[in-house]
Amino acid sequence: VLALVQGIVVTSGATARLLASDFAVPASRITIAEPGTDPAPRARGNGRPVALLAVGAVSPRKGYGGLVEALAPLADLDWRLTVAGALDRAPDE
């Protein structure tokens, strides 16, 4: 089936090579979109509070509990944490 699709987006060159070699997907139909962003100048911020952002599905394996524990000693400083992500990825945990 993969060999018949019009296009496939993968997140690494290794995955692209695997699809081409093991699943006969023509390389011309594979687009690699590596995770991340282009380099940019460091943000300077514009005041307080310091804003922290964590993005990802909210599940135990993401370790948000550890992040909150690590930030707890800084409770007297002016900061805020926003966790943005799906809440339904680990409903039993």
Side-chain angles (χ1 to χ4, degrees), residues 25-71:
V25 177
S28 62
R29 294 185 187 168
I30 301 172
T31 299
I32 301 170
E34 293 186 7
T37 61
D38 292 332
R42 182 181 294 260
R44 294 178 184 224
N46 58 1
R48 299 253 181 238
V50 171
L52 305 172
L53 173 64
V55 179
V58 180
S59 68
R61 80 178 180 89
K62 292 292 185 177
Y64 293 123
L67 175 60
V68 171
E69 286 179 27
L71 293 170

